[in-house]
Amino acid sequence: LSDCLACDNCMTSEEGARVFQQNQKELFRVLNLNKKCDTSKHKVLAVSICPQSLPYFAAKFNLSVNDAAKRLCGFLKSLGVHYVFDTTIAADFSILESQREFVQRYQRRSQEEHALPMFASACPG
């Protein structure tokens, strides 16, 4: 979330509580608690990796994107993260839905005054 502008335009108040949990300090707090308590009381930790971050790691460590994904996943699991998800397919679905909406709006542009412009965002934050 370090690249997030914190404009709050992408989230509701309910999601605000979830964003609070998405920071380094909170992650390490939960990881440390999980190390100290019985496994039946562990909080399940899930991390999602956006497609925009993998090429950065690959370039930084001179790896292929595939190797960077594997190593990042392994690193996160070694810390104690239970699940690591790649959100590439979700980003693909988002692009397809944006495309579908744009085509519909473009076709309605002469009937509806506010059909265009269409604003879209794919913020990984």
Side-chain angles (χ1 to χ4, degrees):
L1 292 175
S2 64
D3 291 334
C4 175
L5 298 175
C7 65
D8 289 338
N9 287 331
C10 65
M11 54 187 227
T12 65
S13 60
E14 188 175 301
E15 290 164 329
R18 291 187 200 120
V19 169
F20 166 76
Q21 298 172 344
Q22 297 181 29
N23 65 64
Q24 184 177 349
K25 185 178 177 183
E26 182 65 11
L27 173 66
F28 286 113
R29 186 186 74 75
V30 173
L31 285 170
N32 287 328
L33 284 175
N34 280 356
K35 288 178 186 174
K36 295 176 185 174
C37 70
D38 182 358
T39 55
S40 65
K41 296 179 182 176
H42 278 193
K43 287 190 176 187
V44 176
L45 291 168
V47 172
S48 61
I49 300 173
C50 66
Q52 295 91 334
S53 63
L54 289 176
Y56 166 79
F57 284 113
K60 180 156 180 74
F61 298 108
N62 200 24
L63 300 167
S64 71
V65 174
N66 229 11
D67 285 341
K70 288 177 188 174
R71 288 188 184 202
L72 184 56
C73 181
F75 171 71
L76 291 167
K77 289 201 172 210
S78 75
L79 289 176
V81 171
H82 297 93
Y83 301 100
V84 180
F85 298 102
D86 178 356
T87 60
T88 301
I89 194 162
D92 291 345
F93 280 125
S94 176
I95 290 168
L96 289 172
E97 282 301 305
S98 292
Q99 174 190 358
R100 184 188 58 77
E101 182 180 351
F102 176 76
V103 168
Q104 289 175 347
R105 286 170 169 261
Y106 185 79
Q107 291 170 343
R108 295 190 321 250
R109 73 187 184 283
S110 59
Q111 293 91 13
E112 291 182 31
E113 180 183 349
H114 299 292
L116 292 175
M118 178 183 130
F119 296 101
S121 172
C123 176

